[in-house]
Amino acid sequence: MTLSPVEQLTSRVYGDSFKLYDIEEFEKFLEPLKVRYQQNNIDPQVFKGKRCLDAGFGSGRGSIFMAQNGASEVVGIDLSEKNVQTAQRWASHYGYSNMKFYQGNLQALAFEDESFDIVWCNGVLHHSDDPNTGLDEISRVLKVGGYMWLYLYGSGGVYWNLVDVIRRELKHTDSMHCLALLLAWQVPYGRVAEYIDDWYVPHCRRYTIADLNEKLVGLGFDDPQCLTGGTPYDTSYKVHVQGQGDLFGEGDLRYFAQRTNNRLDRSIQLPDINEIGSAYQESAITLEFVEKFNVISQLITRFASTYIPEHLFSAQVGGFRSMQMVLRDMMSEPNPFDVNRFNQHLDKIITDLSLD
Ligand SMILES: C[S@@+](CC[C@H](N)C(=O)[O-])C[C@H]1O[C@@H](n2cnc3c(N)ncnc32)[C@H](O)[C@@H]1O
């Protein structure tokens, strides 16, 4: 199969990180899927007896989740040949023989129209070369009356702003070099995968609910509703349940949407402003954080270049990892995000790194 240069990189980023998971980390990785179904009152038995497509299956956790809930057949498509091996390993581990994983591109699916009862596409399209064609395709193969589980990144907010600063600084570095460092530091595999994913995947687009809803309606999903329940760190939960839209932008865009008619209007396009998806106006509070992320990034570079130039890269990875870890850990707390505590944390880093 021929992959574009960007797809080759994407496939490498995910192939290398997903193969690392051991059973303990994989079970942990499955957990949020269960929580999201519970918290949004979706009965996971909806998969019972259904033919399901896992579009961009990665490690195969969505496939396992669907099979655990009674899917009669799961077919997976992913760019990465390594992911095919990883997902097959998990299917055998859990004893499922009704799953088939293939290397392929969801932008050109070799399946008949309306040939699946459920399509699962979790965290994939924003990383693909052509999200519009991908969404058209996975809608085409879904039966009218069937459901699509869809997750796309929502625009804006402090998390993506930190990730963007890190992506900019690490742009010309190599994901394998970073992976080696994180593994040598014994960072848990799930976290390694998160950092490599966020920092090195070539496309990392985000959308607004309005833009995505318009596109979904055009593809036959009348009245699509963005899900609001989730784990404490899901930004959709922070925005819609805890009211912190000024910090977390649009929040994660998760849907369990029914295809209610066979409309397939490919002319409605998700925007791609500057190749990052939808345009988004950040809040003043988020912009203040961005300023501090930039200051810290410059200080790390100055600090390392002055004292340990040959270790600039490891200083950057170490510093960025600790910032993202603190942010993620604080987001995982059940209470609303504590802005003051995060500000104090950033101020302390700035003081520590300001040597003169
Ligand atoms: C962030 S991972 C998500 C994996 C999985 N869906 C999950 O939720 O754990 C994104 C996956 O999408 C795959 N991918 C990206 N673009 C794709 C495309 N055009 N066709 C098929 N797979 C694609 C990548 O190889 C990667 O495994």
Side-chain angles (χ1 to χ4, degrees):
M1 181 185 148
T2 317
L3 301 182
S4 73
V6 166
E7 286 171 343
Q8 282 174 29
L9 256 178
T10 304
S11 135
R12 185 175 150 204
V13 161
Y14 291 113
D16 288 335
S17 48
F18 282 138
K19 76 167 203 256
L20 292 170
Y21 284 67
D22 54 18
I23 179 63
E24 198 187 327
E25 288 281 329
F26 189 75
E27 292 272 333
K28 232 195 276 172
F29 198 35
L30 271 170
E31 205 48 43
L33 305 182
K34 298 175 196 166
V35 174
R36 287 173 189 136
Y37 272 68
Q38 269 163 14
Q39 294 299 313
N40 290 295
N41 300 315
I42 305 168
D43 183 356
Q45 288 296 305
V46 70
F47 296 106
K48 206 171 169 59
K50 298 292 194 301
R51 179 172 198 244
C52 305
L53 173 68
D54 190 349
F57 56 79
S59 62
R61 68 171 170 158
S63 300
I64 298 292
F65 178 73
M66 292 190 278
Q68 285 176 333
N69 287 294
S72 57
E73 186 188 352
V74 180
V75 180
I77 295 291
D78 197 283
L79 287 179
S80 158
E81 179 56 40
K82 269 191 194 161
N83 282 344
V84 172
Q85 290 159 23
T86 300
Q88 274 166 352
R89 177 162 60 88
W90 290 121
S92 320
H93 173 89
Y94 286 95
Y96 292 116
S97 54
N98 57 346
M99 293 184 178
K100 290 269 175 299
F101 298 104
Y102 302 100
Q103 189 188 26
N105 194 328
L106 59 82
Q107 289 159 204
L109 290 173
F111 302 114
E112 299 285 319
D113 294 358
E114 301 191 36
S115 49
F116 289 92
D117 301 304
I118 297 188
V119 170
W120 174 284
C121 189
N122 191 75
V124 177
L125 291 168
H126 41 234
H127 299 311
S128 66
D129 274 358
D130 184 352
N132 283 293
T133 304
L135 195 43
D136 297 345
E137 273 294 271
I138 60 174
S139 306
R140 179 184 66 75
V141 302
L142 178 61
K143 288 180 186 166
V144 171
Y147 283 87
M148 179 192 287
W149 172 266
L150 179 68
Y151 166 44
L152 284 175
Y153 295 155
S155 299
V158 61
Y159 185 81
W160 291 122
N161 280 293
L162 175 60
V163 166
D164 280 345
V165 169
I166 300 174
R167 287 173 66 84
R168 186 193 64 213
E169 294 302 316
L170 298 184
K171 196 174 171 68
H172 301 294
T173 64
D174 186 83
S175 65
M176 286 307 274
H177 190 178
C178 184
L179 187 77
L181 276 178
L182 295 168
L183 291 177
W185 295 337
Q186 290 284 282
V187 174
Y189 299 137
R191 285 289 168 104
V192 172
E194 173 191 317
Y195 300 142
I196 296 294
D197 174 354
D198 285 349
W199 300 350
Y200 286 100
V201 70
H203 299 298
C204 188
R205 305 185 187 84
R206 303 116 208 195
Y207 300 102
T208 58
I209 294 174
D211 288 336
L212 183 54
N213 282 354
E214 194 187 344
K215 173 80 184 158
L216 287 173
V217 169
L219 294 175
F221 300 86
D222 285 330
D223 195 27
Q225 297 290 331
C226 186
L227 300 172
T228 57
T231 70
Y233 60 80
D234 286 346
T235 53
S236 43
Y237 175 77
K238 300 242 168 280
V239 171
H240 303 291
V241 179
Q242 298 186 319
Q244 294 198 299
D246 54 344
L247 280 171
F248 295 103
E250 288 284 296
D252 300 323
L253 311 185
R254 287 196 181 81
Y255 289 72
F256 193 63
Q258 187 173 31
R259 187 157 186 232
T260 41
N261 61 70
N262 67 357
R263 194 183 310 126
L264 205 60
D265 182 352
R266 295 183 168 91
S267 69
I268 302 170
Q269 299 272 301
L270 289 167
D272 207 359
I273 315 289
N274 300 329
E275 293 181 48
I276 59 151
S278 304
Y280 190 79
Q281 183 60 50
E282 295 290 358
S283 69
I285 185 166
T286 304
L287 291 174
E288 268 177 51
F289 281 133
V290 174
E291 222 173 293
K292 289 189 184 183
F293 297 151
N294 279 318
V295 169
I296 291 171
S297 167
Q298 283 158 15
L299 286 170
I300 292 172
T301 306
R302 196 184 67 172
F303 184 93
S305 313
T306 309
Y307 296 100
I308 43 166
E310 66 278 21
H311 295 304
L312 172 62
F313 180 63
S314 38
Q316 285 175 316
V317 172
F320 296 149
R321 173 212 164 196
S322 88
M323 270 203 285
Q324 186 158 327
M325 187 174 68
V326 168
L327 177 57
R328 181 61 104 130
D329 286 348
M330 285 186 62
M331 285 168 66
S332 302
E333 294 169 7
N335 297 331
F337 190 80
D338 187 337
V339 173
N340 290 337
R341 187 149 57 88
F342 190 55
N343 248 322
Q344 283 163 10
H345 177 77
L346 296 181
D347 290 341
K348 181 170 183 311
I349 304 181
I350 292 174
T351 310
D352 291 348
L353 289 173
S354 304
L355 296 173
D356 30 56

